[in-house]
Amino acid sequence: MRIRATVAAVTGALALAAFAAPAAHAAPATPYTMNVSFSKLKIASSIKVGTTSKVSATYSYTLTHGADVKATAADFFSDAYLYRGSLDDPTATVEGDDFATCKVATSTTLTCTGTIDVYPAEGDLTAADAGKWSVAAEATAFNGQNPSKPDYSKIGFKDQGGMGTTSLLRYSKLTTDASPEPVKKGKTITVTGTLTRASWDYNKYYGYGAQSVQLQFAKKGSTTWSTLKTVKTDANGKLKTTVTASVDGAFRYVYAGVSTTAAVTSGGDAVDVQ
């Protein structure tokens, strides 16, 4: 995961230091709770991540602030991020490369947009990270303080969890091969294929076994696909079934996906029936 260099992380460290400090010493200052709130957060319901390419998912939200908040200042920052566990003590987070871009909507609101960025080739994710994540938004006002040596009591901070959810899904691939081609009417067509999914631990694609996949057919010249049967992948993600040749058309496999793995539809493979 990328490390979030925001006051949210600093606050946790300060709180721990205050708890561990001897009673005779004053607890270190912490940021004050800023008068802002977040609403209308939108993000894709799922983010599909493969093994090598950077993946970015756009989010947007509305930030509402009090008159005392200098939300247009150069040292005011806001963004959204994914988290698991509790907001105050998340077990993991996923963030963007940059803060959100916020524009003035009214005297008390900003509209903010940004991206969640994932780099699977750099080890951002493991298999355990696949599935549902919560979304939070945050804002920090440095109020002229030097970020490298600030007076934390003069820094404003606010975060808000439970803004929505999204799922990080392992990207999947699916192939279809129908043969022989051409084939005589009434003869047997064998339809094979392979279902694979991304491994975030090894940055490779591996066969996905014991998965139900639909075999579909569309007559030549038609865009309507009908399901012929459901086929299960073997331990190596391989698919194989047979059908009787009747008319010209194309076959394809369709996988509906699961909570950790993206749905996928293969390309169609046409067969000429003579």
Side-chain angles (χ1 to χ4, degrees), residues 89-109:
D89 187 23
T91 57
T93 61
V94 180
E95 304 81 34
D97 292 340
D98 301 299
F99 292 109
T101 298
C102 295
K103 297 181 179 180
V104 174
T106 70
S107 61
T108 59
T109 62

Side-chain angles (χ1 to χ4, degrees), residues 29-80:
T30 58
Y32 65 86
T33 301
M34 190 164 43
N35 182 19
V36 301
S37 61
F38 309 91
S39 61
K40 300 179 181 178
L41 190 142
K42 296 180 181 179
I43 192 170
S45 60
S46 64
I47 303 170
K48 303 173 185 178
V49 183
T51 60
T52 56
S53 300
K54 169 188 173 182
V55 176
S56 296
T58 301
Y59 60 75
S60 64
Y61 57 88
T62 297
L63 186 155
T64 303
H65 61 88
D68 59 321
V69 177
K70 299 177 181 178
T72 58
D75 59 356
F76 181 93
F77 304 100
S78 183
D79 67 351

Side-chain angles (χ1 to χ4, degrees), residues 98-175:
D98 301 299
F99 292 109
T101 298
C102 295
K103 297 181 179 180
V104 174
T106 70
S107 61
T108 59
T109 62
L110 303 176
T111 54
C112 302
T113 59
T115 59
I116 300 297
D117 302 300
V118 184
Y119 294 79
E122 297 180 17
D124 274 11
L125 303 173
T126 67
D129 295 315
K132 187 169 287 188
W133 290 68
S134 298
V135 189
E138 64 183 356
T140 304
F142 281 95
N143 298 316
Q145 292 294 304
N146 182 348
S148 63
K149 195 176 180 181
D151 177 349
Y152 289 107
S153 67
K154 294 180 180 180
I155 294 177
F157 176 75
K158 178 66 179 296
D159 60 356
Q160 185 175 324
M163 303 281 303
T165 62
T166 189
S167 293
L168 293 179
L169 299 180
R170 296 165 66 171
Y171 196 89
S172 57
K173 298 179 180 181
L174 185 59
T175 63

